[in-house]
Short mmCIF file of all heavy atoms in Angstrom, two decimals:
data_model
loop_
_atom_site.label_atom_id
_atom_site.label_comp_id
_atom_site.label_asym_id
_atom_site.label_seq_id
_atom_site.Cartn_x
_atom_site.Cartn_y
_atom_site.Cartn_z
N ALA A 382 26.94 -171.56 186.56
CA ALA A 382 27.73 -172.49 185.74
C ALA A 382 27.17 -173.89 185.87
O ALA A 382 26.57 -174.25 186.89
CB ALA A 382 29.19 -172.47 186.17
N ILE A 383 27.39 -174.69 184.83
CA ILE A 383 26.99 -176.09 184.82
C ILE A 383 28.18 -176.93 184.37
O ILE A 383 28.86 -176.60 183.40
CB ILE A 383 25.81 -176.35 183.86
CG1 ILE A 383 24.60 -175.49 184.25
CG2 ILE A 383 25.41 -177.83 183.84
CD1 ILE A 383 23.43 -175.58 183.28
N GLY A 384 28.43 -178.02 185.09
CA GLY A 384 29.45 -178.99 184.69
C GLY A 384 28.81 -180.36 184.54
O GLY A 384 27.89 -180.70 185.30
N THR A 385 29.25 -181.12 183.57
CA THR A 385 28.65 -182.44 183.34
C THR A 385 29.73 -183.52 183.34
O THR A 385 30.93 -183.23 183.22
CB THR A 385 27.90 -182.49 181.99
OG1 THR A 385 28.81 -182.22 180.93
CG2 THR A 385 26.77 -181.46 181.98
N ALA A 386 29.28 -184.77 183.45
CA ALA A 386 30.21 -185.91 183.43
C ALA A 386 29.45 -187.15 183.00
O ALA A 386 28.25 -187.29 183.29
CB ALA A 386 30.82 -186.13 184.82
N ASN A 387 30.15 -188.05 182.33
CA ASN A 387 29.59 -189.33 181.92
C ASN A 387 30.61 -190.43 182.18
O ASN A 387 31.81 -190.18 182.17
CB ASN A 387 29.24 -189.34 180.43
CG ASN A 387 28.16 -188.33 180.07
OD1 ASN A 387 28.45 -187.21 179.69
ND2 ASN A 387 26.90 -188.74 180.23
N PRO A 388 30.14 -191.65 182.41
CA PRO A 388 31.08 -192.76 182.58
C PRO A 388 31.81 -193.06 181.27
O PRO A 388 31.43 -192.56 180.20
CB PRO A 388 30.18 -193.92 183.01
CG PRO A 388 28.82 -193.55 182.55
CD PRO A 388 28.74 -192.06 182.57
N PRO A 389 32.86 -193.88 181.30
CA PRO A 389 33.73 -194.03 180.13
C PRO A 389 33.18 -194.87 178.99
O PRO A 389 33.68 -194.77 177.87
CB PRO A 389 34.98 -194.70 180.72
CG PRO A 389 34.48 -195.43 181.93
CD PRO A 389 33.39 -194.58 182.48
N HIS A 390 32.17 -195.68 179.25
CA HIS A 390 31.74 -196.62 178.22
C HIS A 390 30.66 -195.99 177.33
O HIS A 390 29.50 -195.84 177.74
CB HIS A 390 31.23 -197.91 178.86
CG HIS A 390 32.20 -198.52 179.81
ND1 HIS A 390 33.49 -198.86 179.44
CD2 HIS A 390 32.09 -198.84 181.14
CE1 HIS A 390 34.12 -199.37 180.48
NE2 HIS A 390 33.31 -199.36 181.52
N LYS A 391 31.07 -195.61 176.11
CA LYS A 391 30.15 -195.03 175.13
C LYS A 391 29.64 -196.15 174.24
O LYS A 391 30.42 -196.85 173.60
CB LYS A 391 30.86 -193.96 174.30
CG LYS A 391 29.98 -193.29 173.28
CD LYS A 391 30.64 -192.07 172.66
CE LYS A 391 31.81 -192.44 171.78
NZ LYS A 391 32.36 -191.24 171.07
N ILE A 392 28.32 -196.31 174.19
CA ILE A 392 27.73 -197.47 173.52
C ILE A 392 26.83 -196.99 172.39
O ILE A 392 25.84 -196.29 172.64
CB ILE A 392 26.92 -198.31 174.51
CG1 ILE A 392 27.78 -198.63 175.76
CG2 ILE A 392 26.44 -199.59 173.85
CD1 ILE A 392 26.98 -199.16 176.90
N PRO A 393 27.13 -197.35 171.14
CA PRO A 393 26.23 -197.02 170.04
C PRO A 393 24.84 -197.60 170.27
O PRO A 393 24.70 -198.72 170.79
CB PRO A 393 26.91 -197.67 168.82
CG PRO A 393 28.35 -197.80 169.22
CD PRO A 393 28.33 -198.06 170.69
N GLN A 394 23.82 -196.85 169.90
CA GLN A 394 22.45 -197.26 170.17
C GLN A 394 22.11 -198.63 169.60
O GLN A 394 21.46 -199.45 170.25
CB GLN A 394 21.49 -196.19 169.62
CG GLN A 394 20.01 -196.48 169.80
CD GLN A 394 19.52 -196.33 171.23
OE1 GLN A 394 20.27 -196.49 172.20
NE2 GLN A 394 18.24 -196.03 171.37
N MET A 395 22.55 -198.91 168.39
CA MET A 395 22.19 -200.19 167.79
C MET A 395 22.94 -201.36 168.43
O MET A 395 22.51 -202.51 168.35
CB MET A 395 22.43 -200.16 166.28
CG MET A 395 21.57 -199.13 165.55
SD MET A 395 19.81 -199.15 166.05
CE MET A 395 19.30 -200.78 165.49
N GLN A 396 24.07 -201.07 169.09
CA GLN A 396 24.75 -202.12 169.83
C GLN A 396 23.95 -202.49 171.08
O GLN A 396 23.91 -203.66 171.48
CB GLN A 396 26.17 -201.67 170.21
CG GLN A 396 27.05 -202.78 170.75
CD GLN A 396 28.50 -202.37 170.85
OE1 GLN A 396 28.90 -201.30 170.42
NE2 GLN A 396 29.31 -203.24 171.43
N VAL A 397 23.30 -201.48 171.70
CA VAL A 397 22.42 -201.78 172.82
C VAL A 397 21.25 -202.64 172.35
O VAL A 397 20.82 -203.57 173.05
CB VAL A 397 21.89 -200.48 173.47
CG1 VAL A 397 21.07 -200.81 174.72
CG2 VAL A 397 23.01 -199.54 173.84
N ALA A 398 20.74 -202.34 171.16
CA ALA A 398 19.64 -203.14 170.61
C ALA A 398 20.04 -204.60 170.46
O ALA A 398 19.25 -205.51 170.77
CB ALA A 398 19.19 -202.56 169.27
N ASP A 399 21.25 -204.85 170.00
CA ASP A 399 21.73 -206.22 169.86
C ASP A 399 21.78 -206.92 171.22
O ASP A 399 21.39 -208.08 171.36
CB ASP A 399 23.12 -206.23 169.23
CG ASP A 399 23.11 -205.82 167.76
OD1 ASP A 399 22.06 -205.99 167.12
OD2 ASP A 399 24.15 -205.33 167.28
N PHE A 400 22.28 -206.19 172.24
CA PHE A 400 22.35 -206.75 173.60
C PHE A 400 20.95 -207.11 174.09
O PHE A 400 20.72 -208.20 174.64
CB PHE A 400 23.01 -205.76 174.56
CG PHE A 400 22.97 -206.18 176.00
CD1 PHE A 400 24.00 -206.91 176.56
CD2 PHE A 400 21.88 -205.88 176.81
CE1 PHE A 400 23.96 -207.32 177.89
CE2 PHE A 400 21.81 -206.28 178.14
CZ PHE A 400 22.87 -206.99 178.68
N MET A 401 20.00 -206.17 173.91
CA MET A 401 18.64 -206.40 174.41
C MET A 401 17.96 -207.57 173.71
O MET A 401 17.29 -208.39 174.35
CB MET A 401 17.80 -205.12 174.24
CG MET A 401 18.28 -203.95 175.06
SD MET A 401 18.19 -204.28 176.84
CE MET A 401 19.02 -202.81 177.48
N ALA A 402 18.12 -207.66 172.40
CA ALA A 402 17.51 -208.76 171.65
C ALA A 402 18.05 -210.10 172.13
O ALA A 402 17.29 -211.08 172.29
CB ALA A 402 17.75 -208.58 170.16
N ALA A 403 19.35 -210.16 172.37
CA ALA A 403 19.96 -211.39 172.86
C ALA A 403 19.50 -211.71 174.28
O ALA A 403 19.17 -212.86 174.61
CB ALA A 403 21.48 -211.29 172.80
N ALA A 404 19.46 -210.68 175.14
CA ALA A 404 19.07 -210.89 176.54
C ALA A 404 17.62 -211.36 176.65
O ALA A 404 17.28 -212.18 177.52
CB ALA A 404 19.26 -209.59 177.33
N LEU A 405 16.76 -210.84 175.77
CA LEU A 405 15.35 -211.21 175.78
C LEU A 405 15.07 -212.47 174.96
O LEU A 405 13.92 -212.89 174.86
CB LEU A 405 14.50 -210.05 175.27
CG LEU A 405 14.49 -208.80 176.18
CD1 LEU A 405 13.93 -207.60 175.44
CD2 LEU A 405 13.68 -209.07 177.44
N GLN A 406 16.14 -213.02 174.36
CA GLN A 406 16.04 -214.23 173.55
C GLN A 406 14.93 -214.11 172.50
O GLN A 406 14.07 -214.97 172.35
CB GLN A 406 15.81 -215.45 174.45
CG GLN A 406 16.96 -215.69 175.43
CD GLN A 406 16.76 -216.91 176.32
OE1 GLN A 406 15.87 -216.93 177.18
NE2 GLN A 406 17.55 -217.94 176.09
N MET A 407 14.98 -213.00 171.77
CA MET A 407 13.95 -212.69 170.79
C MET A 407 14.15 -213.49 169.50
O MET A 407 15.28 -213.77 169.10
CB MET A 407 13.99 -211.20 170.43
CG MET A 407 13.43 -210.29 171.51
SD MET A 407 13.43 -208.56 170.98
CE MET A 407 12.28 -207.86 172.16
N ASN A 408 13.03 -213.80 168.85
CA ASN A 408 13.10 -214.41 167.53
C ASN A 408 13.37 -213.33 166.48
O ASN A 408 13.41 -212.14 166.80
CB ASN A 408 11.83 -215.20 167.21
CG ASN A 408 10.57 -214.32 167.26
OD1 ASN A 408 10.63 -213.12 166.97
ND2 ASN A 408 9.44 -214.92 167.62
N GLU A 409 13.54 -213.73 165.25
CA GLU A 409 13.94 -212.78 164.21
C GLU A 409 12.92 -211.68 163.97
O GLU A 409 13.28 -210.50 163.89
CB GLU A 409 14.24 -213.53 162.90
CG GLU A 409 14.84 -212.62 161.83
CD GLU A 409 15.25 -213.39 160.58
OE1 GLU A 409 15.45 -214.62 160.70
OE2 GLU A 409 15.36 -212.77 159.52
N PRO A 410 11.62 -211.97 163.87
CA PRO A 410 10.63 -210.88 163.67
C PRO A 410 10.62 -209.88 164.82
O PRO A 410 10.56 -208.67 164.60
CB PRO A 410 9.30 -211.63 163.56
CG PRO A 410 9.66 -213.01 163.11
CD PRO A 410 10.97 -213.31 163.76
N ASP A 411 10.69 -210.38 166.06
CA ASP A 411 10.68 -209.47 167.22
C ASP A 411 11.97 -208.66 167.28
O ASP A 411 11.96 -207.48 167.69
CB ASP A 411 10.50 -210.25 168.52
CG ASP A 411 9.08 -210.75 168.70
OD1 ASP A 411 8.17 -210.20 168.04
OD2 ASP A 411 8.88 -211.71 169.47
N THR A 412 13.08 -209.25 166.88
CA THR A 412 14.35 -208.52 166.84
C THR A 412 14.27 -207.38 165.84
O THR A 412 14.75 -206.27 166.11
CB THR A 412 15.51 -209.47 166.48
OG1 THR A 412 15.63 -210.46 167.50
CG2 THR A 412 16.82 -208.70 166.36
N ARG A 413 13.67 -207.61 164.68
CA ARG A 413 13.52 -206.55 163.68
C ARG A 413 12.68 -205.40 164.23
O ARG A 413 13.00 -204.22 164.03
CB ARG A 413 12.88 -207.11 162.41
CG ARG A 413 13.83 -207.92 161.53
CD ARG A 413 13.31 -208.03 160.11
NE ARG A 413 11.99 -208.66 160.07
CZ ARG A 413 11.78 -209.96 159.94
NH1 ARG A 413 12.82 -210.79 159.84
NH2 ARG A 413 10.55 -210.46 159.89
N LYS A 414 11.59 -205.74 164.93
CA LYS A 414 10.73 -204.70 165.53
C LYS A 414 11.50 -203.90 166.58
O LYS A 414 11.38 -202.68 166.66
CB LYS A 414 9.49 -205.34 166.15
CG LYS A 414 8.53 -205.94 165.15
CD LYS A 414 7.37 -206.63 165.86
CE LYS A 414 6.46 -207.34 164.88
NZ LYS A 414 5.38 -208.10 165.57
N LEU A 415 12.27 -204.61 167.40
CA LEU A 415 13.04 -203.93 168.44
C LEU A 415 14.06 -202.97 167.81
O LEU A 415 14.19 -201.82 168.25
CB LEU A 415 13.76 -204.95 169.32
CG LEU A 415 14.54 -204.35 170.49
CD1 LEU A 415 13.58 -203.87 171.57
CD2 LEU A 415 15.53 -205.36 171.07
N LYS A 416 14.75 -203.42 166.78
CA LYS A 416 15.76 -202.57 166.14
C LYS A 416 15.11 -201.36 165.46
O LYS A 416 15.71 -200.28 165.42
CB LYS A 416 16.58 -203.39 165.16
CG LYS A 416 17.52 -204.37 165.86
CD LYS A 416 18.46 -205.06 164.89
CE LYS A 416 19.47 -205.92 165.65
NZ LYS A 416 20.45 -206.57 164.74
N ALA A 417 13.91 -201.54 164.95
CA ALA A 417 13.19 -200.39 164.37
C ALA A 417 12.89 -199.35 165.45
O ALA A 417 13.03 -198.14 165.22
CB ALA A 417 11.89 -200.87 163.71
N LEU A 418 12.49 -199.81 166.64
CA LEU A 418 12.25 -198.91 167.77
C LEU A 418 13.51 -198.13 168.12
O LEU A 418 13.47 -196.91 168.35
CB LEU A 418 11.77 -199.72 168.98
CG LEU A 418 11.67 -198.98 170.32
CD1 LEU A 418 10.57 -197.93 170.26
CD2 LEU A 418 11.40 -199.97 171.45
N TYR A 419 14.64 -198.79 168.15
CA TYR A 419 15.90 -198.14 168.50
C TYR A 419 16.35 -197.15 167.41
O TYR A 419 16.90 -196.10 167.72
CB TYR A 419 16.99 -199.20 168.74
CG TYR A 419 16.97 -199.77 170.15
CD1 TYR A 419 15.88 -200.48 170.62
CD2 TYR A 419 18.03 -199.58 171.01
CE1 TYR A 419 15.84 -201.00 171.90
CE2 TYR A 419 18.02 -200.09 172.30
CZ TYR A 419 16.91 -200.80 172.75
OH TYR A 419 16.88 -201.30 174.04
N ARG A 420 16.08 -197.49 166.15
CA ARG A 420 16.50 -196.61 165.05
C ARG A 420 15.74 -195.29 165.06
O ARG A 420 16.30 -194.25 164.70
CB ARG A 420 16.31 -197.31 163.70
CG ARG A 420 17.48 -198.20 163.30
CD ARG A 420 17.39 -198.60 161.84
NE ARG A 420 16.21 -199.44 161.58
CZ ARG A 420 16.20 -200.76 161.67
NH1 ARG A 420 17.31 -201.41 161.99
NH2 ARG A 420 15.10 -201.44 161.42
N VAL A 421 14.47 -195.30 165.46
CA VAL A 421 13.67 -194.06 165.42
C VAL A 421 13.68 -193.32 166.76
O VAL A 421 12.97 -192.34 166.92
CB VAL A 421 12.21 -194.37 165.02
CG1 VAL A 421 12.16 -195.01 163.65
CG2 VAL A 421 11.49 -195.22 166.06
N SER A 422 14.51 -193.76 167.70
CA SER A 422 14.53 -193.16 169.04
C SER A 422 15.12 -191.76 169.07
O SER A 422 14.90 -191.01 170.03
CB SER A 422 15.32 -194.06 170.00
OG SER A 422 16.70 -194.11 169.61
N GLY A 423 15.90 -191.39 168.04
CA GLY A 423 16.60 -190.11 168.08
C GLY A 423 17.90 -190.17 168.85
O GLY A 423 18.57 -189.16 169.03
N ILE A 424 18.28 -191.37 169.29
CA ILE A 424 19.49 -191.56 170.09
C ILE A 424 20.56 -192.23 169.24
O ILE A 424 20.30 -193.25 168.61
CB ILE A 424 19.19 -192.42 171.34
CG1 ILE A 424 18.16 -191.72 172.23
CG2 ILE A 424 20.47 -192.70 172.14
CD1 ILE A 424 17.62 -192.60 173.34
#
């Protein structure tokens, strides 16, 4: 048998992208590239 568990905070992938762009203080072109990476991640 296998049992699984996850912590309570479920975070949409693109919301993580927003956090990362802000944390890295990215400009608009780099933010677009980062969000493209997150969109094609399969997550």
Side-chain angles (χ1 to χ4, degrees):
I383 301 175
T385 61
N387 297 94
H390 306 304
K391 181 169 69 174
I392 309 166
Q394 179 73 332
M395 298 313 296
Q396 191 169 354
V397 185
D399 290 335
F400 173 92
M401 295 298 173
L405 293 165
Q406 298 181 293
M407 286 183 163
N408 58 31
E409 188 175 339
D411 287 340
T412 297
R413 284 199 301 270
K414 292 176 185 176
L415 183 73
K416 289 187 174 182
L418 171 67
Y419 276 63
R420 275 193 295 271
V421 301
S422 65
I424 299 170

